[in-house]
Amino acid sequence: MSDTHVDASRQGSTAILRIHGEITGRSEGPLMAAYAEVGGARSIVLDFGGLEYMNSGGIGLLVTLLVRAQRAGQRLLAVGLSEHYRQILSLTRLDEAIAIHDDERAALAAASA
Amino acid sequence: MTGPRTPAPRDESSWAKPIERLATTATGASADTVTGKRVSGPLQGFGQLWQKTFLIRVPADEHQPEAVVAHWKEHFPTFWPEGATFYAPLSGIQPGEVALLEVPPVPGSPVKMSTGIMVIYADRESFTFMTPEGHALSAWITFSAYCDGDDTVAQAQALERTADPLIELSYLFGANRANDAFWEQTLTNLARSLGVAAPVVETTKVCVDKRRQWKYIRNVRFSPAVHMATSTVMLPVRMVRRRKS
């Protein structure tokens, strides 16, 4: 069973996915369901403020999400990353494809620019 | 006055720290193809993005997932197919360590490709490798085990793109299948070591992204295909020099 909870919301053409709990290989259901819920958004902000745990299966899932978003012509942005999770995105070079912002306001401004 | 300390995330010790350039403690093969290189994951590769899953099943009452992963880590080099060699780092498969590899470009070839991998994640249930620049693939490969009914499933799952156009071309002409056979043999060897007499490897392949990433066409400057061709052409020259010295 997954310990992942994802809240989806919209602000204009930008979708916000707030992630709570864990991201592991078992999080595909809730993460992709939330992504489907905001289909058609031009940009997607992933809010990692509630993230408690992520393993390498979870990082793989983020790549799958990123590829889907790129195919749909959507930009992916990230906020709420602790120093630890910023380091993981840097280690895996995901930060080259997901724009990291300090807070939601900055991400929304970048998304609408 | 100080505020409450934020507890360290429980995955903190499982992840490697970010590094700019690779270095290794492994010996047995040339580290030149790895030292100073950057890691390169599925986002930095050229070819189509594949998710490949290879798994075996063993009885759960005899082999718990954590024991399978510990066994896999400890004896990892011994499960590789004949002709391929994995030179483990001194401290074993630990986050941040870099191993060296020698693999034949095609099964049975006397010529070997030298490269390596970085262990980016390792815990009691799984471990993940990431390839460096100069590897044929830009990939993450995760090895894990989990319970599924009466079975323990041991699984290798790769998220990979070929690194450059030359390797992508070779994938179209059989290297993709040879890569599958490599992991199927590895899983077979793992299953045998766990007492399975007639292992069955279940393979699933999904092309996650059919597009090729032309912005990474310059990866060809690190291509092992170019490196091997150069080495082969220069072989007689090196032999003459060795005789003279």
Side-chain angles (χ1 to χ4, degrees):
Chain A
M1 199 176 113
S2 165
D3 291 316
T4 311
H5 184 75
V6 186
D7 290 323
S9 60
R10 283 285 286 261
Q11 285 211 14
S13 61
T14 302
I16 302 166
L17 303 185
R18 290 192 173 82
I19 297 165
H20 303 276
E22 303 183 347
I23 304 183
T24 69
R26 294 176 190 165
S27 307
E28 183 168 9
L31 191 60
M32 295 308 171
Y35 175 66
E37 201 179 318
V38 295
R42 212 172 58 187
S43 303
I44 294 169
V45 176
L46 298 173
D47 182 349
F48 291 96
L51 180 62
E52 295 167 2
Y53 174 85
M54 181 165 62
N55 66 12
S56 56
I59 278 285
L61 206 51
L62 289 184
V63 170
T64 308
L65 179 67
L66 178 65
V67 168
R68 283 193 190 183
Q70 285 176 337
R71 276 200 305 226
Q74 297 164 316
R75 291 171 64 194
L76 220 52
L77 305 93
V79 299
L81 285 161
S82 66
E83 184 56 28
H84 171 61
Y85 291 116
R86 275 184 189 240
Q87 286 188 358
I88 292 173
L89 263 62
S90 169
L91 166 72
T92 54
R93 297 182 65 182
L94 264 178
D95 60 353
E96 294 176 12
I98 301 176
I100 298 173
H101 294 275
D102 288 337
D103 53 44
E104 198 171 296
R105 186 189 297 183
L108 289 171
S112 59
Chain B
M1 204 172 94
T2 56
R5 280 185 58 188
T6 308
R10 64 190 162 91
D11 55 81
E12 189 172 26
S13 61
S14 302
W15 285 98
K17 299 293 176 212
I19 50 158
E20 276 298 308
R21 304 281 168 180
L22 294 175
T24 181
T25 60
T27 57
S30 169
D32 293 350
T33 51
V34 172
T35 305
K37 295 281 183 10
R38 301 174 73 195
V39 288
S40 176
L43 296 179
Q44 286 79 37
F46 172 82
Q48 295 177 325
L49 179 61
W50 288 89
Q51 186 180 61
K52 299 180 175 182
T53 308
F54 309 92
L55 63 87
I56 53 155
R57 294 172 185 276
V58 294
D61 55 354
E62 293 174 28
H63 303 288
Q64 288 295 299
E66 288 188 8
V68 170
V69 169
H71 175 73
W72 205 345
K73 276 184 194 168
E74 189 179 349
H75 303 286
F76 191 87
T78 67
F79 303 135
W80 271 29
E82 198 176 333
T85 313
F86 181 92
Y87 299 96
L90 292 177
S91 62
I93 294 174
Q94 300 286 342
E97 293 289 351
V98 176
L100 298 172
L101 330 172
E102 283 183 338
V103 288
V106 290
S109 166
V111 183
K112 301 283 170 68
M113 284 198 296
S114 295
T115 180
I117 56 89
M118 179 182 180
V119 183
I120 60 164
Y121 183 91
D123 66 15
R124 287 181 299 177
E125 295 171 350
S126 67
F127 53 103
T128 300
F129 295 163
M130 189 169 175
T131 52
E133 293 165 336
H135 195 291
L137 301 173
S138 291
W140 297 334
I141 307 167
T142 297
F143 307 89
S144 61
Y146 57 90
C147 279
D148 183 22
D150 293 336
D151 297 331
T152 289
V153 173
Q155 170 180 293
Q157 186 173 69
L159 198 56
E160 65 184 39
R161 291 184 192 270
T162 55
D164 64 72
L166 297 176
I167 302 295
E168 179 70 356
L169 199 60
S170 75
Y171 248 46
L172 295 176
F173 289 97
N176 196 350
R177 180 67 201 112
N179 177 259
D180 300 346
F182 179 96
W183 289 114
E184 285 163 355
Q185 186 60 52
T186 299
L187 271 289
T188 298
N189 294 342
L190 172 67
R192 288 207 176 108
S193 78
L194 293 168
V196 179
V200 175
V201 180
E202 298 169 38
T203 300
T204 311
K205 290 169 65 175
V206 178
C207 187
V208 181
D209 187 7
K210 288 190 166 66
R211 293 174 308 178
R212 296 181 174 92
Q213 300 202 114
W214 289 95
K215 65 181 174 179
Y216 289 111
I217 193 169
R218 289 185 69 239
N219 286 354
V220 77
R221 69 194 189 280
F222 299 120
S223 180
V226 172
H227 184 79
M228 276 181 51
T230 310
S231 300
T232 306
V233 168
M234 293 300 289
L235 188 63
V237 177
R238 285 201 306 272
M239 285 172 71
V240 169
R241 278 185 187 158
R242 237 179 262 147
R243 274 192 202 141
K244 282 184 178 174
S245 63

